[in-house]
Amino acid sequence: MRMDRYLPPDHPLSRFYRVGAAIFGAFLLAFGVLGLANEVPLFTTSGIDIIGLSSNGLLAVVSVVVGAILVGAAAWGGPVASTTTAAIGVLFFLSGLINLGLLNTPWNLFAFKLQNVVFSLIAGMLLMFLGFYGRVSGGLPQDNPYVRYRHHEPPAEEVPEQRLADERRIAEIEPLCKAEKAVADGNPTPEQNRLVQAETWRHMQEERRRAYQHYLEAGRSPEQQISAQNLWADFEVPERRPAEPRTAEHKEEAES
């Protein structure tokens, strides 16, 4: 089953990859075109400043090629944009490390200066983050396209809504189930203890609200609503009539 089915071009992750690749690609294209427009020598080790970075003819050509690849990946979208962005990010990072050792040497083929090294390292990390986001990070949700692909499950778009909702609910309550099991076993972590206590308190509050709502809907008087926890509150309480005043005749009958 192809990954394209899991990550179509209109998927939020795909849009994220496309935007990141397009921005970096456009910058590299502009940097390379400006370098070529200045007709800087191809293999010189002392380049000219372009947008605050040093460049020679070779670096300008490479920038145009890499920028075009990133723009093409952005137009393609999906896993192609993710993989291309991540791979170029790794190359950028390695280029920064390698050229750091080649500064001020005859082997500095790209006419790198310190600002180029810093840019290459930062750009490499950003491109790797953009390419690997939602793909290899921890705690990915169950409906993540890469998670479903690795487990050979059908794409989320092809799963009925009820099943998808059930899977999300299972993923939500799984930490609570593990915490309750750890509490029952007697070896919970502080975080699991807090989770179980918070869930217990939430259930108590919901039960109290349900009980009070029940009494309100039953139309009982405040005197009959003794307590929301009183199990006997559902039984009718007969009303007591006020005692009639005792007259003189009643007193005489009582004394006789």
Side-chain angles (χ1 to χ4, degrees):
M1 192 176 293
R2 295 187 53 175
M3 186 63 201
D4 294 340
R5 286 182 55 193
Y6 293 83
L7 194 66
D10 59 344
H11 192 279
L13 277 178
S14 181
R15 290 196 293 268
F16 180 80
Y17 302 143
R18 298 176 76 170
V19 170
I23 291 174
F24 272 92
F27 175 81
L28 290 176
L29 279 174
F31 177 77
V33 169
L34 289 175
L36 293 175
N38 283 273
E39 298 181 354
V40 63
L42 191 63
F43 293 108
T44 181
T45 57
S46 57
I48 62 172
D49 285 341
I50 303 292
I51 321 178
L53 299 173
S54 176
S55 176
N56 62 7
L58 182 59
L59 182 59
V61 171
V62 172
S63 297
V64 170
V65 172
V66 175
I69 292 174
L70 282 174
V71 171
W76 190 280
V80 172
S82 170
T83 303
T84 304
T85 304
I88 292 179
V90 172
L91 294 177
F92 259 84
F93 192 80
L94 292 177
S95 173
L97 293 178
I98 294 171
N99 284 286
L100 178 62
L102 298 178
L103 292 178
N104 303 320
T105 67
W107 296 99
N108 188 12
L109 300 179
F110 294 110
F112 262 47
K113 293 182 180 179
L114 186 59
Q115 59 264 34
N116 293 67
V117 172
V118 174
F119 171 80
S120 188
L121 294 175
I122 294 176
M125 289 188 290
L126 286 175
L127 285 169
M128 284 189 288
F129 170 77
L130 292 172
F132 289 129
Y133 179 80
R135 184 171 185 172
V136 297
S137 55
L140 295 176
Q142 292 298 317
D143 59 345
N144 178 275
Y146 292 100
V147 173
R148 304 189 71 85
Y149 178 76
R150 293 184 196 118
H151 291 84
H152 305 288
E153 298 176 358
E157 292 76 12
E158 300 178 9
V159 179
E161 289 296 324
Q162 184 59 44
R163 180 181 170 187
L164 186 59
D166 292 342
E167 290 180 355
R168 288 176 178 171
R169 179 57 181 161
I170 291 173
E172 290 174 0
I173 66 175
E174 186 175 3
L176 179 61
C177 295
K178 292 181 178 178
E180 290 181 344
K181 184 178 184 301
V183 171
D185 293 340
N187 55 354
T189 63
E191 181 62 29
Q192 288 175 327
N193 255 330
R194 286 192 293 270
L195 183 62
V196 172
Q197 291 174 1
E199 185 66 14
T200 302
W201 174 253
R202 187 180 69 81
H203 276 295
M204 290 177 58
Q205 293 298 98
E206 288 182 356
E207 184 61 24
R208 288 183 67 84
R209 282 194 294 268
R210 185 202 63 77
Y212 280 119
Q213 186 65 27
H214 169 71
Y215 293 132
L216 291 175
E217 291 175 356
R220 299 180 184 278
S221 63
E223 290 80 7
Q224 292 173 318
Q225 298 175 16
I226 301 171
S227 170
Q229 304 298 327
N230 185 1
L231 299 178
W232 300 96
D234 288 334
F235 290 92
E236 293 289 343
V237 179
E239 296 183 0
R240 293 183 178 180
R241 296 182 179 179
E244 297 180 357
R246 299 175 67 87
T247 60
E249 295 179 355
H250 291 159
K251 291 182 179 179
E252 290 178 357
E253 291 179 359
E255 289 176 356
S256 60

